[in-house]
Amino acid sequence: MENLQLLWMGLETACSLPNLISAIFGAIIGLVVGAMPGIGSLSGVALLLPLTFKMNPTTAIIGLAALYYSNMYGGSFSAILLNIPGDSPAVMTALDGYPLARSGRAGAALSTAICSSFIGGTIGIIILTISGPILAKWGLAFGPAELTLLILFAMTSIGWLLGENPSAGLVATAIGVMLATIGVDRCLGQERFSFGSVNLFSGVSFIPLVIGMFGFSQVIDMVVNRITYSNTEIQKVTLKQSMLKGKELKGITPTAIRTGLIGTIVGVMPGAGATAASFISYIMEKRINKNREQIGKGALEGVAAAEAANNAAAAGAFAPLLTLGIPGGGTTAVLLGGLMMWGLRPGPLLFKENPDFVWGLISSMYIGNIICLLISFACIPLMMKVVKVPSAVMVPVISVVCVIGTYTVNNNMFDVYLMIVMGILAYFMKIAKIPAAPLLLAFVLTPMFESYVRQAFDISDGSFGIFVGSNISKTLLALTVLFCLAPVVMGFIKKEKTSVDSAAIEN
Amino acid sequence: MKRFLGFLLVGIMTVSLFGGYVQSASKWAPEREIEFVVPSSPGGGSDLNARTIADLAQKNKFSPYALMVVNKPGGSGAVSFAYMNTKKGDSHTLMVLHSGQAIGSYVNNWNVKVSDLTYIGTVAFDELTLGVKKDGKYKDIKSLLAAVKRQPRSIKIGGSQRGNSDHLSFELINKYTGSEFTYVMFNSSGEVMSALLGGHVDVGIFNPMECIGQVAAGEVIPIVTFAKNRLTGLFKDAPTFAEIGYEEIQVTEVRAIAGPPNMPAAAVEFYEDMLRKITETDEWKQNYIEKNLLVNNYLNAADTKEYHEKMIDVNIKTFKEVGYLK
């Protein structure tokens, strides 16, 4: 009850004019930044932070927080329309969003992304309001050993669950792992596979990789196969048509609620973040959703799972930041720096010492989410124009976006060449029917995995016992084994069945 | 959206125009934005240091162009050093240089050493402390030392990165108290704090600013410091190692600023001056130094160089003695 009163008090703070303007401003910038490939929430928040120093801390954090979560909305736009995930949490969105857009259902995909972002985000904020401090404490139970197993669980599932051919998925995963080991080792500072090149010294950057593998390979595909958008002529896109039908809404709502819950929990864990959240949720939906056969080929549920989860994770990430003063990921770490610079002392006393600030922020997130919802819907007609652009124009435009998006990250031409090479690699992978998504996800997860494993072994003095040391570890380990064995067993059963079937046909 | 972007661009340009700065004719001054590299993730001590400097330079118009803070974490700082090496002779790139990385470049034998870079100035000194969880097994340094003597390698100390001052202070404890603690390396002090509060490590090595929020809340107790003299405020109850009989265990970190190799002398002079002015502002003293329990101590380029060379000698000697270096 006390929380509700404080929330109400915070709502008054959040509704003051400067704070509302700040939230709207943050939401718009976040959408733009999210939709632009190459710039994510991290650089968005970092760029705007210095501008907020003269502001009242509450107004400042409301704006920056809005930027952070609305970025998750924006990230889905380019993923769906151009097949270029703007930031790593949107990778899973592209898997279903782009096929949907190609089959003329871009409007539905966008609406799904927006609606489920809203649902996921709201679930995250509600959980944050009710049980933020408890949740943050619970998140601490995830130490290096538990996080190692969580990542391992995620990594073992990718190969099997994406694409029709599990061995192709494994190949992609292995390539991703290998690419991730290039550069200075995070544990001892030793160089690996950099061949003396300064550009490879810090490893392969994520942005060139993702833009190349998704966006640029798409360009090659369009040119080589002379792909034109079918049915764009007849498709008359209006906002009204983009709205989801009752049945579709009914289909994605349970998905969004489920993945919203998971996303929040993953978001609270130290270091796991929105990428891992969208990813774990997607894999879960691929297993349990009614429409699981279609997920990965262009299902609204797939978009819903990824988007609800990454928005929920963005909200969940605020729990450790506000209650313990510990950042869960890159963007919240910048916000932590912001708190210090605004003269606040992040830590367990923040709720007591600055209730206006904390509850003002939490309340503003409810409002901010509604603002994001409205602005995003208002953008749909504008974005739908992208779908109508003929391929002859689209190809050069996407190419330019790919090059600029890559170059802006580090102002380095090497990244652009890398992006092109990755695009070509991805194109051949596509021909060989090797899915690109497992590669990217393995690439994102491997460095985390390596750090956590090293820490776990440091703690246990080299003993494997640490990985069965807690109930969380045991559960995760059991799930991993289950996920590894299930496809093998299922495949065996299926094989038996099909061999009987084909025998029947031959006869 | 295009129109909006246009407005945004115009807005940014206007803002940068209004950064009214009168440039004197004779002296060199930056001609564009300055890239300010932080060799670690956002949110840590180096990041806060860089952002405070960037903010004060802009606010007080000590520089005609803004300092853009860029985080380039990785390899305990080696990545940023390598990056600086690609900017040879550039006048518009700066880096926050923490003594940990200066030492690490030698101890971990990076391709680019701190002596390759150009020293510009020192802005602050920072202390180190050991913190334990309030409901943990050990409440003070004496019981901690007694426990590890009884059961060597049973107590884990978490620190960020390796071959730096966190690691050095750990090695010094092992060496001079004759105990055998285990070092667990994390990527940032935030991760160390998570692990400490979650009970995954027993002790954490922190700068005062990295744990003050937890200390104020009583969640973390500082049990000992590596400082020369006792700290004040919330840390006043923690003894120094010298007080409990280990005079040799003393570590102070230095926060300095460096430029790429062969930075022109005129540019060094400009930034030296900028840093001196920043460290003299009240806001720096009150909002940065005091609040984060640092020691304000400006050194110019030449003194910074001398200080670092001496410090590196001492460190290499210690790491050799404990066998971390051959």
Side-chain angles (χ1 to χ4, degrees):
Chain A
M1 262 340 265
E2 203 200 336
N3 277 12
L4 278 182
Q5 269 172 17
L6 288 162
L7 188 70
W8 186 249
M9 185 194 82
L11 206 59
E12 282 173 27
T13 316
C15 285
S16 75
L17 192 63
N19 291 350
L20 270 182
I21 293 174
S22 170
I24 294 172
F25 190 70
I28 293 173
I29 304 256
L31 278 180
V32 176
V33 161
M36 284 196 289
I39 315 179
S41 59
L42 177 62
S43 30
V45 170
L47 280 172
L48 278 193
L49 185 67
L51 299 180
T52 64
F53 288 144
K54 283 188 187 122
M55 288 184 193
N56 167 319
T58 314
T59 311
I61 187 88
I62 285 176
L64 292 180
L67 195 160
Y68 179 34
Y69 52 73
S70 88
N71 181 76
M72 299 291 163
Y73 282 79
S76 65
F77 298 165
S78 51
I80 291 171
L81 296 173
L82 303 175
N83 201 22
I84 307 177
D87 209 350
S88 52
V91 169
M92 307 313 279
T93 314
L95 292 187
D96 282 282
Y98 189 66
L100 279 169
R102 284 284 294 276
S103 60
R105 298 187 67 207
L110 286 171
S111 303
T112 304
I114 296 167
C115 290
S116 38
S117 288
F118 179 73
I119 297 173
T122 309
I123 290 174
I125 305 163
I126 292 173
I127 297 176
L128 178 66
T129 313
I130 301 170
S131 57
I134 304 162
L135 210 60
K137 283 248 162 74
W138 180 82
L140 291 176
F142 279 75
E146 287 79 9
L147 287 166
T148 304
L149 291 171
L150 181 74
I151 305 276
L152 184 72
F153 167 60
M155 283 176 84
T156 45
S157 350
I158 33 181
W160 298 102
L161 290 173
L162 299 168
E164 284 142 26
N165 186 350
S167 51
L170 277 181
V171 169
T173 310
I175 299 176
V177 171
M178 290 197 283
L179 283 173
T181 51
I182 294 175
V184 172
D185 144 38
R186 287 176 78 127
C187 306
L188 292 172
Q190 298 299 315
E191 271 187 68
R192 292 189 297 211
F193 312 115
S194 61
F195 304 104
S197 157
V198 178
N199 290 311
L200 285 177
F201 191 69
S202 47
V204 174
S205 325
F206 179 73
I207 297 292
L209 190 68
V210 76
I211 293 183
M213 300 222 98
F214 277 78
F216 198 70
S217 75
Q218 191 62 42
V219 169
I220 303 175
D221 199 28
M222 282 161 101
V223 172
V224 173
N225 297 324
R226 295 175 184 273
I227 293 174
T228 47
Y229 288 104
S230 55
N231 66 21
T232 39
E233 316 295 322
I234 34 167
Q235 198 183 20
K236 225 178 123 193
V237 197
T238 58
L239 184 57
K240 210 171 152 196
Q241 278 173 339
S242 300
M243 288 293 181
L244 295 172
K245 293 182 195 74
K247 201 177 141 208
E248 289 168 333
L249 202 60
K250 231 174 163 180
I252 62 155
T253 309
T255 306
I257 293 175
R258 269 198 302 269
T259 54
L261 288 171
I262 294 185
T264 313
I265 292 167
V266 178
V268 172
M269 290 173 197
T275 311
S278 69
F279 176 27
I280 289 169
S281 301
Y282 186 90
I283 287 174
M284 188 197 72
E285 284 304 313
K286 175 83 182 151
R287 288 256 112 191
I288 66 164
N289 197 286
K290 266 192 229 148
N291 197 12
R292 58 178 169 264
E293 286 301 313
Q294 280 305 310
I295 290 184
K297 293 171 194 154
L300 294 178
E301 286 83 356
V303 175
E307 282 303 305
N310 64 31
N311 278 269
F318 279 93
L321 178 72
L322 294 176
T323 60
L324 300 170
I326 298 172
T331 312
T332 40
V334 178
L335 288 175
L336 178 80
L339 291 182
M340 290 180 175
M341 274 178 240
W342 297 318
L344 300 172
R345 184 192 281 162
L349 291 183
L350 195 66
F351 269 85
K352 268 186 218 144
E353 285 176 353
N354 305 85
D356 297 8
F357 175 83
V358 175
W359 290 103
L361 169 64
I362 294 177
S363 310
S364 86
M365 289 166 78
Y366 286 97
I367 303 171
N369 236 323
I370 298 171
I371 295 174
C372 288
L373 181 77
L374 296 177
I375 299 178
S376 309
F377 266 116
C379 289
I380 286 189
L382 190 83
M383 286 185 298
M384 291 303 288
K385 290 196 176 124
V386 174
V387 184
K388 288 195 222 162
V389 177
S391 294
V393 178
M394 214 48 199
V395 165
V397 168
I398 300 184
S399 308
V400 169
V401 170
C402 287
V403 171
I404 294 178
T406 311
Y407 185 75
T408 43
V409 184
N410 290 324
N411 298 336
N412 190 345
M413 270 315 277
F414 177 81
D415 286 347
V416 177
Y417 302 137
L418 184 71
M419 182 273 290
I420 294 170
V421 170
M422 288 301 158
I424 295 168
L425 174 71
Y427 174 70
F428 284 111
M429 280 171 55
K430 206 181 266 176
I431 292 177
K433 295 212 160 51
I434 299 173
L439 188 159
L440 283 173
L441 295 164
F443 181 80
V444 171
L445 296 175
T446 301
M448 296 191 208
F449 183 71
E450 191 185 356
S451 289
Y452 294 141
V453 168
R454 288 297 295 255
Q455 288 159 11
F457 279 130
D458 276 350
I459 290 174
S460 70
D461 217 1
S463 153
F464 277 93
I466 191 168
F467 296 113
V468 287
S470 70
N471 287 333
I472 300 174
S473 304
K474 283 176 196 152
T475 313
L476 285 168
L477 211 53
L479 280 173
T480 310
V481 173
L482 195 73
F483 264 56
C484 281
L485 291 182
V488 181
V489 176
M490 295 292 275
F492 190 70
I493 296 168
K494 227 183 209 169
K495 218 177 192 176
E496 293 273 278
K497 224 173 155 189
T498 45
S499 64
V500 172
D501 286 352
S502 57
I505 291 164
E506 270 167 33
N507 292 335
Chain B
M1 197 177 294
K2 238 184 223 161
R3 184 173 296 172
F4 171 76
L5 271 181
F7 278 132
L8 191 70
L9 270 178
V10 171
I12 291 169
M13 285 173 186
T14 326
V15 169
S16 44
L17 271 182
F18 276 105
Y21 178 87
V22 188
Q23 199 174 326
S24 62
S26 60
K27 287 225 172 129
W28 182 89
E31 287 137 15
R32 53 183 163 88
E33 270 77 26
I34 300 130
E35 187 179 19
F36 197 6
V37 179
V38 176
S40 57
S41 309
S46 293
D47 188 57
L48 184 66
N49 181 259
R51 289 180 197 277
T52 309
I53 290 174
D55 178 43
L56 288 177
Q58 198 171 2
K59 260 188 199 162
N60 298 301
K61 303 196 171 39
F62 291 149
S63 165
Y65 287 94
L67 282 80
M68 310 297 290
V69 177
V70 186
N71 296 87
K72 288 193 189 290
S76 299
V79 169
S80 291
F81 272 56
Y83 177 76
M84 291 302 276
N85 202 37
T86 65
K87 296 272 179 169
K88 272 187 191 125
D90 186 20
S91 303
H92 295 89
T93 310
L94 296 178
M95 184 177 83
V96 187
L97 177 66
H98 186 261
S99 47
Q101 290 125 18
I103 300 161
S105 67
Y106 282 94
V107 173
N108 295 329
N109 198 23
W110 299 347
N111 289 346
V112 184
K113 310 272 189 293
V114 68
S115 53
D116 298 326
L117 307 178
T118 311
Y119 291 105
I120 292 173
T122 302
V123 292
F125 285 142
D126 203 351
E127 308 293 356
L128 281 168
T129 176
L130 288 188
V132 295
K133 209 177 150 192
K134 93 175 162 204
D135 45 8
K137 270 187 267 177
Y138 315 101
K139 299 274 191 286
D140 56 72
I141 181 70
K142 292 233 168 90
S143 64
L144 191 75
L145 288 172
V148 80
K149 286 255 166 69
R150 273 199 308 276
Q151 214 178 339
R153 302 193 69 78
S154 63
I155 296 175
K156 331 288 175 205
I157 300 186
S160 48
Q161 311 189 337
R162 210 180 280 272
N164 62 1
S165 18
D166 279 18
H167 187 191
L168 175 78
S169 47
F170 163 81
E171 294 290 1
L172 288 176
I173 301 175
N174 269 1
K175 183 183 167 192
Y176 289 107
T177 66
S179 5
E180 215 180 328
F181 288 97
T182 311
Y183 186 67
V184 183
M185 190 206 76
F186 292 89
N187 291 315
S188 70
S189 58
E191 285 182 22
V192 179
M193 186 56 86
S194 295
L196 178 66
L197 293 179
H200 307 289
V201 295
D202 306 293
V203 187
I205 302 174
F206 302 103
N207 293 125
M209 69 151 87
E210 289 166 345
C211 62
I212 190 164
Q214 308 291 340
V215 172
E219 291 289 326
V220 166
I221 307 165
I223 51 169
V224 69
T225 72
F226 294 82
K228 204 168 187 177
N229 304 309
R230 229 177 229 243
L231 303 185
T232 51
L234 287 166
F235 294 83
K236 68 176 177 354
D237 293 331
T240 64
F241 266 109
E243 283 178 51
I244 57 164
Y246 303 105
E247 259 174 50
E248 299 90 340
I249 308 180
Q250 198 221 313
V251 182
T252 303
E253 294 192 301
V254 194
R255 297 198 177 275
I257 309 295
N262 311 327
M263 190 182 223
V268 173
E269 204 178 308
F270 174 85
Y271 294 121
E272 253 184 324
D273 196 43
M274 179 187 86
L275 293 177
R276 184 182 51 76
K277 283 186 201 151
I278 287 173
T279 54
E280 280 167 2
T281 58
D282 286 338
E283 203 179 337
W284 171 267
K285 287 180 197 156
Q286 282 156 16
N287 285 351
Y288 181 68
I289 297 287
E290 262 177 46
K291 195 169 268 173
N292 296 307
L293 298 163
L294 297 168
V295 181
N296 202 11
N297 196 341
Y298 170 78
L299 298 179
N300 66 14
D303 292 345
T304 302
K305 187 165 188 243
E306 197 193 312
Y307 186 93
H308 274 79
E309 280 167 357
K310 223 190 251 167
M311 178 183 75
I312 288 161
D313 276 350
V314 172
N315 276 277
I316 291 179
K317 222 179 92 200
T318 312
F319 276 121
K320 272 190 182 153
E321 278 170 12
V322 300
Y324 183 72
L325 270 186
K326 279 171 206 124

